[in-house]
Amino acid sequence: MRASGVLLPISSLPSEYGIGTFSKEAYRFVEKLQEAGQTYWQILPLGPTGYGDSPYQHFQPMLEIHIT
């Protein structure tokens, strides 16, 4: 079965702090994904970056949030 989703860093979400967090805005974003029929929300790593300061060369793997 095929599934679809989006890649959006947490820091791209709006918030009162100027940078995104796992707060009510994140929950609203997930609700919008559900309405659009999306299955996954993939985020970039949240910790320090690895070689070359690239988020894709991170010490931990990327995280996918499965939306049900």
Side-chain angles (χ1 to χ4, degrees):
M1 185 161 112
R2 297 184 98 176
S4 62
V6 297
L7 169 67
L8 182 82
I10 297 297
S11 60
S12 295
L13 293 172
S15 82
E16 60 186 86
Y17 307 107
I19 189 168
T21 62
F22 280 115
S23 59
K24 60 186 175 187
E25 288 81 10
Y27 284 95
R28 282 194 208 119
F29 181 66
V30 168
E31 289 169 358
K32 294 292 183 186
L33 290 175
Q34 285 178 315
E35 291 172 12
Q38 300 299 303
T39 307
Y40 293 100
W41 174 16
Q42 183 176 0
I43 63 173
L44 295 174
L46 300 174
T49 57
Y51 178 75
D53 291 329
S54 170
Y56 301 102
Q57 296 290 332
H58 194 264
F59 300 115
Q60 296 179 7
M62 284 193 252
L63 174 66
E64 285 185 349
I65 300 173
H66 187 255
I67 301 167
T68 57

